[in-house]
Amino acid sequence: MMRSRMMKMQGKVLPGLIVLSMTACAPVIREIQVTHAEGSGAPIHVEPMRVVSNIEIHSGGASTPEVRVRPVYPENASYQRIGELPDRTEIDVDTHLNRFTGEMAAPSYGGYDLKLDVGYTEWLVQSNVSSHQRLLVEAPDSCFAFDGELPLPFDLGPVKKSNGEEFGTAHLAWRPQNWPFEAPGHGAISFQISTNQFPNHNQEPYYWMVDFMAKGIPGRDGWLQSNGVTFRAKTDATGIYAQPIFLIRDPDNGEVRYWAPKDMATGKFLMYPISESPDSASRWKVIEWSSGLPEGVREAIYIRIYGDSHYSSMDTGKTLFLDGVCPIPPGVTPAGGEVVEAVVNPWL
């Protein structure tokens, strides 16, 4: 009888012992650090970056850790393998702590979820453990990213009515709302809609417009032969559109002409809706425009913002943000934002 009870007790205890053994053999990822390969700063667009992880290795061992990333938007994006950490150094014998290091190319400028996978053996079966981390990759030098650059490399034009008549003044400001997510020291330029400085529908039947104006693009890398532009914008205001405009000096007669997206079928100008829609998963909108621009000096790039005058009074106090203004080529893959399609000017 006693023997029978002991056997039943063993039957109850042994499964618990197995679970403990299975848990104990898994490696433990203690820390992940991601930097530029040549220093301690953040990784930069497609430049070499270094990933370092401290991992406790137990009885199940550990395979070479693998690095995978996916953009923060869309949320259902798949992880893609970008490298591994092949260099291993034991840094604490008592805790079996090892440091794994590897270098790989950083993803494009933007925000990512990084996942570190480590394989191990669990009762002759291959398993793995993972650790996740949010990662911001910095913009290349050709982009206007508004991250600590002073004085601000953009000006802001006056508020104009649809006929070009000046109406009021918008105030350029730097704010810590960064694309695609907030990070210390990073931000965007902006202006705020106000009742007295923006016309309502009684003062303007169609729309108002304001220009963000880049300073000094002829001397900035990447803009000399650019054929287009990408940028990011967000706002809670209603009826807001953006339009990129290049100012190009003709090499023969010196005349400066304006070039903007146009619908070839109708001859009407195109705009990009950037107001947040109720079903939108990302507040930041990504605009990409590339065209066969003519030869000549790229004197300036404007990002013109249009607002429906019907909503000016209701939108008082709401802000429009601009970030990540980059030339095409090379352009920047829009990781972390919703790419919007152009529409024909809705007021014509």
Side-chain angles (χ1 to χ4, degrees):
M1 183 62 119
M2 182 66 68
R3 182 186 178 102
S4 175
R5 282 193 192 137
M6 289 179 64
M7 290 178 68
K8 287 181 180 179
M9 289 175 63
Q10 286 175 350
K12 291 180 181 178
V13 172
L14 283 176
L17 290 175
I18 292 172
V19 170
L20 289 173
S21 297
M22 291 167 68
T23 302
C25 69
V28 180
I29 302 171
R30 291 298 183 194
E31 182 182 15
I32 303 173
Q33 295 181 347
V34 186
T35 64
H36 192 279
E38 297 180 358
S40 59
I44 299 174
H45 172 77
V46 304
E47 293 188 11
M49 72 176 187
R50 178 180 294 110
V51 181
V52 178
S53 181
N54 292 339
I55 302 172
E56 290 182 13
I57 300 177
H58 300 291
S59 57
S63 64
T64 301
E66 295 186 337
V67 180
R68 291 176 169 82
V69 297
R70 68 179 181 186
V72 297
Y73 177 89
E75 294 179 348
N76 62 352
S78 299
Y79 281 99
Q80 302 295 323
R81 184 182 185 277
I82 63 169
E84 60 182 27
L85 313 185
D87 301 326
R88 172 179 168 179
T89 304
E90 189 173 48
I91 57 177
D92 192 319
V93 176
D94 293 334
T95 61
H96 309 289
L97 190 63
N98 287 254
R99 177 163 295 157
F100 290 84
T101 305
E103 292 189 6
M104 61 211 71
S108 297
Y109 166 44
Y112 298 86
D113 290 322
L114 180 146
K115 182 171 73 167
L116 189 69
D117 287 327
V118 183
Y120 68 100
T121 302
E122 181 180 55
W123 291 95
L124 304 181
V125 176
Q126 292 298 312
S127 300
N128 74 286
V129 293
S130 300
S131 183
H132 299 77
Q133 183 169 300
R134 184 58 58 91
L135 172 67
L136 181 65
V137 177
E138 304 280 8
D141 290 340
S142 58
C143 292
F144 294 97
F146 313 116
D147 299 332
E149 186 174 2
L150 293 174
L152 289 174
F154 267 62
D155 287 324
L156 194 64
V159 179
K160 295 181 180 180
K161 299 167 69 173
S162 61
N163 62 4
E165 176 187 341
E166 292 189 14
F167 181 87
T169 302
H171 298 284
L172 182 69
W174 182 92
R175 295 172 182 260
Q177 282 76 25
N178 183 63
W179 175 84
F181 56 83
E182 294 181 21
H186 294 66
I189 55 173
S190 66
F191 68 82
Q192 194 171 69
I193 299 171
S194 60
T195 301
N196 296 330
Q197 301 301 324
F198 289 73
N200 60 36
H201 191 54
N202 294 324
Q203 299 163 318
E204 160 57 51
Y206 304 114
Y207 59 85
W208 50 259
M209 51 187 171
V210 180
D211 289 337
F212 286 106
M213 304 178 294
K215 295 185 271 190
I217 71 167
R220 197 172 185 112
D221 290 344
W223 290 95
L224 184 61
Q225 299 299 327
S226 55
N227 281 315
V229 62
T230 72
F231 59 94
R232 290 83 179 140
K234 74 171 181 176
T235 184
D236 289 332
T238 305
I240 304 295
Y241 300 79
Q243 180 188 64
I245 301 173
F246 274 89
L247 279 63
I248 300 178
R249 184 177 299 279
D250 189 289
D252 297 323
N253 58 27
E255 179 183 356
V256 176
R257 297 181 60 190
Y258 289 65
W259 296 83
K262 184 177 287 189
D263 179 48
M264 294 298 102
T266 63
K268 295 181 179 180
F269 285 108
L270 296 172
M271 300 177 175
Y272 295 84
I274 57 175
S275 296
E276 183 180 8
S277 58
D279 58 349
S280 176
S282 172
R283 295 185 62 200
W284 283 100
K285 310 302 180 188
V286 178
I287 289 83
E288 298 182 293
W289 174 58
S290 184
S291 179
L293 294 174
E295 294 294 325
V297 177
R298 277 61 174 148
E299 292 286 350
I301 176 72
Y302 291 179
I303 306 300
R304 178 164 292 175
I305 305 300
Y306 298 83
D308 193 319
S309 61
H310 286 81
Y311 303 107
S312 295
S313 298
M314 292 185 291
D315 286 338
T316 292
K318 294 185 176 180
T319 304
L320 187 135
F321 301 90
L322 177 69
D323 200 4
V325 184
C326 304
I328 299 177
V332 174
T333 303
E338 177 186 351
V339 181
V340 297
E341 299 294 330
V343 298
V344 174
N345 186 329
W347 294 285
L348 295 179

